[in-house]
């Protein structure tokens, strides 16, 4: 039986908890983050997630991100490259949410917190 891939929504403080593969899987977690693109430099970028901090993005050629716009980024949690410590997100897909001022990020934070308080309903971790 095929299962639908789980892509829990997270905040930067959850990143380390999703740095390893789920039980019984050989792949890294795929997660979703919402934030404003604040930097782009070749194959790297930065996503600022409200007042929760930044996430380093490892982009692919098809990543059509724009600085100053709000995006939901779907990607795999991966160790940072080039000798940096910590984790970032290897981008698989992104959805343009438009102007950051049109989004109440506090509502997104509440949804993420509810998801993690009732994690057994939303994802296996």
């Amino acid at each position: 039986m095929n299962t639908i891939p789980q892509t829990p929504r997270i905040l930067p403080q959850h990143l380390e908890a999703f740095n390893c593969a789920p039980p019984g899987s050989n792949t890294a977690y795929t997660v979703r983050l919402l934030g404003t693109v604040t930097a782009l430099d070749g194959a790297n970028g930065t996503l600022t997630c409200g007042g929760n901090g930044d996430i380093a993005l490892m982009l692919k050629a098809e990543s059509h991100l724009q600085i100053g716009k709000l995006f939901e980024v779907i990607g795999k949690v991966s160790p940072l490259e080039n000798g940096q410590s910590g984790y970032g997100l290897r981008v698989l897909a992104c959805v343009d949410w438009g102007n950051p001022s049109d989004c109440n990020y506090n509502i997104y934070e509440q949804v993420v917190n509810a998801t993690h308080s009732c994690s057994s309903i939303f994802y296996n971790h």
Side-chain angles (χ1 to χ4, degrees):
M1 180 174 154
N2 290 336
T3 59
I4 297 172
Q6 298 176 1
T7 55
R9 286 182 168 83
I10 67 169
L11 297 168
Q13 61 263 32
H14 300 120
L15 197 61
E16 191 168 345
F18 287 88
N19 69 2
C20 58
S25 172
N26 292 330
T27 60
Y29 273 103
T30 302
V31 296
R32 296 171 180 260
L33 280 143
L34 183 67
T36 302
V37 177
T38 52
L40 292 171
D41 182 19
N44 299 300
T46 303
L47 191 72
T48 300
C49 303
N52 296 287
D54 297 341
I55 294 285
L57 301 175
M58 293 158 268
L59 307 173
K60 58 183 186 175
E62 306 83 47
S63 300
H64 297 291
L65 299 173
Q66 296 174 343
I67 292 178
K69 292 194 87 179
L70 186 69
F71 278 87
E72 181 174 49
V73 177
I74 303 158
K76 297 225 181 251
V77 177
S78 300
L80 293 175
E81 299 171 339
N82 301 324
Q84 299 178 48
S85 62
Y87 297 94
L89 206 61
R90 187 166 304 284
V91 176
L92 300 174
C94 45
V95 179
D96 184 347
W97 279 41
N99 188 335
S101 64
D102 294 337
C103 176
N104 183 339
Y105 202 83
N106 291 331
I107 293 172
Y108 175 78
E109 291 169 343
Q110 291 173 6
V111 168
V112 170
N113 290 331
T115 299
H116 292 283
S117 350
C118 304
S119 61
S120 63
I121 296 171
F122 297 102
Y123 62 89
N124 300 326
H125 186 260

